[in-house]
Amino acid sequence: MFVTLAKNLKSMPLPVADDPRWARIVSRDKSADGEFWYSVATTGVYCRPSCPSRRANPKNVQLHDTLDQAKVTGFRPCRRCNPDGPSLEAGNAAMVADACRRIEQSEEEPSLGELAAAAGRSAGYFHRIFKAVTGLTPKDYAAAQRAARVRQGLEDGASVTMAIYDAGFNSSGRFYEKSTGMLGMTPTRYRAGGAHEEIRFAVGESSLGTVLVASSQKGVASILLGDDPDTLVRDLQDRFPKARLIGGDRDYEALVARVVGFVEVPALGLDLPLDVRGTAFQQRVWQALRDIPVGSTVSYAEIAERIGAPRATRAIAAACAANTLAVAIPCHRVIRKDGALSGYAWGAERKRALLGRETAPSGSGGARPDHRSARP
């Protein structure tokens, strides 16, 4: 009799509030969707764990291992989280993906109203969801697509005029207003593959290794960190394959010294003219990184919130990885939500050292830097 009672007690379910799955419902854990469902007696509905509805009293909640078990309750599916079909998030992602294809395949930029009508949503709702999913407004996304078409046309050998109109620009004047920002140089020079563009560079040594700084006429285009000067120079050549690389003179070495000095003593600050080359989304991310104060860190999710794209954390991480301006665009100040360092293009140890120096009370650290130039 005692054994039977013990078995019955063991098989009794935990109170919902003590069940580990309840915590996932409270946190609206999207990764729990499809693993279990729950129903609420007071509202007569069943939901997926990530349901955004107001939290129910666990005393009124019943947990279900399968969707069929939730349906057997006789309750109706929640209209907000649609537990019988794809989640609201998945539906929005599909809607935005369809809108992106429309933008990419249209000869002329579709209006916000046209895109919203095709999606069956109001213009305001569609605009908000599109930006949350992609990190860009529909207009910015369309502009990025047109810029990509121009680049592709020029790379394929089309004339500048043909590339402009094939990309959907109604006039050459509108294009030329934005051309340098799109291409990083004039259209004619881009068509030639960046040939004859002059990139001045020099190499310095810091306590964190080699620092290579390279500049175009517009500003500093690359700051690379590594262990070997020759490797960094080859990396620079790969980034600007048709440009003319020129070893820095004494004046340029002074600029490199400023960068190395900032690596050693972050409190010195670093205010340089930059030649930032990237997509519209990447540039928004990089600007948000530049707004992070010395000595502070933020998570990828916080950056996503700051640029108005709360669901674009993976894209934020990709933009950080694509950054070629170490320390000037401080991607080392972005960490994981749990406080872990996460990846860093120039090595996790350098990231840890940079953050340690920035948060140190004295704001100093490292050995005395040595500056030297490298000539091709």
Side-chain angles (χ1 to χ4, degrees):
M1 180 177 176
F2 176 77
V3 173
T4 301
L5 179 60
K7 286 183 177 179
N8 289 337
L9 289 174
K10 188 175 182 180
S11 64
M12 290 177 64
L14 288 170
V16 169
D18 296 330
D19 192 301
R21 291 175 293 181
W22 175 245
R24 303 181 75 180
I25 294 172
V26 171
S27 64
R28 297 184 173 89
D29 184 358
K30 292 182 177 63
S31 67
D33 290 348
E35 294 185 13
F36 66 92
W37 289 256
Y38 72 95
S39 58
V40 185
T42 50
T43 57
V45 300
Y46 58 90
C47 305
R48 62 177 72 243
S50 66
C51 182
S53 299
R54 183 178 179 182
R55 187 191 309 166
N57 187 324
K59 295 179 180 179
N60 300 321
V61 171
Q62 186 176 356
L63 303 176
H64 309 285
D65 293 326
T66 66
L67 180 59
D68 287 339
Q69 290 178 3
K71 290 181 177 180
V72 167
T73 61
F75 295 164
R76 61 176 176 81
C78 173
R79 293 180 180 177
R80 295 196 66 180
C81 68
N82 188 26
D84 290 354
S87 66
L88 179 63
E89 185 177 47
N92 285 338
M95 175 186 72
V96 170
D98 180 68
C100 289
R101 301 295 84 76
R102 288 178 180 274
I103 293 172
E104 292 163 7
Q105 295 167 10
S106 298
E107 291 187 5
E108 295 186 2
E109 179 183 337
S111 68
L112 175 61
E114 291 170 339
L115 292 170
R121 300 289 192 275
S122 70
Y125 179 86
F126 174 82
H127 187 277
R128 184 171 68 255
I129 296 302
F130 190 99
K131 186 175 181 181
V133 172
T134 66
L136 298 171
T137 66
K139 188 173 186 64
D140 286 342
Y141 186 86
Q145 289 302 310
R146 285 188 294 169
R149 289 180 188 175
V150 171
R151 287 193 293 268
Q152 189 62 56
L154 295 175
E155 289 169 5
D156 290 343
S159 68
V160 175
T161 300
M162 185 66 72
I164 290 170
Y165 285 101
D166 284 349
F169 285 92
N170 295 325
S171 71
S172 58
R174 291 183 60 194
F175 168 74
Y176 278 105
E177 289 174 2
K178 305 175 180 178
S179 61
T180 302
M182 284 183 179
L183 305 174
M185 61 190 77
T186 66
T188 302
R189 179 168 287 181
Y190 188 92
R191 184 172 181 267
H196 310 304
E197 181 184 19
E198 291 186 356
I199 299 293
R200 192 172 300 276
F201 77 98
V203 174
E205 290 297 327
S206 75
S207 60
L208 296 184
T210 304
V211 180
L212 183 148
V213 182
S215 301
S216 66
Q217 291 183 344
K218 183 179 178 182
V220 177
S222 286
I223 298 176
L224 310 178
L225 306 178
D227 299 316
D228 176 61
D230 291 337
T231 300
L232 290 184
V233 173
R234 287 195 296 270
D235 187 1
L236 181 68
Q237 290 173 329
D238 290 341
R239 294 175 189 275
F240 301 95
K242 295 188 177 182
R244 188 157 64 97
L245 302 184
I246 303 173
D249 53 20
R250 289 187 179 276
D251 289 340
Y252 195 78
E253 289 178 0
L255 184 147
V256 178
R258 289 176 59 192
V259 176
V260 174
F262 177 76
V263 170
E264 302 295 346
V265 187
L268 293 174
L270 186 64
D271 184 17
L272 298 173
L274 301 180
D275 180 359
V276 182
R277 306 183 185 192
T279 66
F281 178 79
Q282 287 173 334
Q283 295 207 34
R284 289 177 59 208
V285 173
W286 295 338
Q287 182 56 55
L289 300 185
R290 293 173 70 186
D291 291 337
I292 304 171
V294 174
S296 300
T297 58
V298 300
S299 68
Y300 295 102
E302 286 177 284
I303 292 294
E305 290 285 351
R306 291 183 185 186
I307 68 169
R311 301 176 189 173
T313 52
R314 289 186 180 180
I316 300 294
C320 290
N323 173 32
T324 61
L325 285 158
V327 301
I329 296 178
C331 54
H332 62 277
R333 295 176 192 157
V334 186
I335 60 176
R336 286 172 46 179
K337 197 171 184 178
D338 61 4
L341 287 185
S342 73
Y344 186 54
W346 295 283
E349 287 305 313
R350 286 192 178 92
K351 181 172 185 174
R352 182 177 288 106
L354 287 168
L355 291 176
R357 293 175 181 188
E358 292 185 354
T359 56
S362 62
S364 63
R368 184 181 179 85
D370 169 54
H371 314 299
R372 59 188 176 85
S373 64
R375 302 184 185 277

